[in-house]
Amino acid sequence: MKQYVIFDFDGTLADSQEVAVQSINQLAGKYGFPQVDREGFSKVMKDSATLEDFSLIANEFYSLYKESLNQIRLFDGMKDVLLQLHEQGYGIAVISSNEESNIRAYFATQGLEFITDIYTSSNLFGKDEMLNQFSDKYKVAKNDLLYVGDEVRDIQACHRCGVSVVWVPWGYAEEGHIRPEKPTYKAKTPADILMYAKQMTSNVKA
């Protein structure tokens, strides 16, 4: 049975926060909300009520985001992790609230076109449903899935559907904010993701 490592995109694979801040501030005047800096944007991403408001402007936000794809870089070490997982036979997928076309266009610029399983949802809190659908579509048991994300809602979604989750510290949420959620694993470096993927394989074999 093939095992999959599934990634969030923004804040986990891609260091896109600056582009996100620029994009949302371009919409601030039109929709009458205050401009934000990086810290302010992180607070927005932790506030469920604000995120629900954000969903109303998501289409315009991601259109602006796409215009700045060339400013986004992968976090150091993440490309190597993706290549090693691919070489070792793991399936790799992305489940994100970003637009599929943005992610595919970005992967094309990074030589990562082999990542073809990309699933997105306008529902910022719907990743558990998407993980369930992914498991059903590929007939993969939940213990053969490992999700990698940076936000509290990523951890909560994985807990709701019974999928192990690796939290990464280089994204939008600080450790103090995710500590009560108790992720399955905490990565210190991208290389730790490879270690946890191997643990998933060892646990299944055991």
Side-chain angles (χ1 to χ4, degrees), residues 32-105:
F33 52 79
Q35 297 214 347
V36 297
D37 54 16
R38 288 178 70 100
E39 182 179 355
F41 186 79
S42 294
K43 291 178 180 177
V44 167
M45 300 306 288
K46 295 194 293 284
D47 183 351
S48 60
T50 308
L51 281 173
E52 289 174 1
D53 291 339
F54 171 77
S55 67
L56 301 175
I57 64 167
N59 288 339
E60 289 180 78
F61 171 82
Y62 287 125
S63 293
L64 291 172
Y65 179 110
K66 190 169 189 175
E67 296 172 6
S68 302
L69 283 178
N70 63 340
Q71 299 178 34
I72 297 171
R73 66 178 184 86
L74 289 169
F75 285 104
D76 291 343
M78 289 307 296
K79 184 171 184 177
D80 186 54
V81 166
L82 294 170
L83 292 172
Q84 287 195 54
L85 288 170
H86 181 59
E87 290 169 0
Q88 292 171 16
Y90 293 94
I92 302 173
V94 171
I95 291 180
S96 170
S97 53
N98 204 322
E99 289 188 350
E100 180 182 349
S101 61
N102 286 348
I103 298 171
R104 290 193 186 280

Side-chain angles (χ1 to χ4, degrees), residues 107-122:
F107 281 168
T109 70
Q110 301 295 317
L112 298 172
E113 297 96 332
F114 62 85
I115 305 175
T116 58
D117 292 321
I118 299 171
Y119 301 90
T120 64
S121 171
S122 58

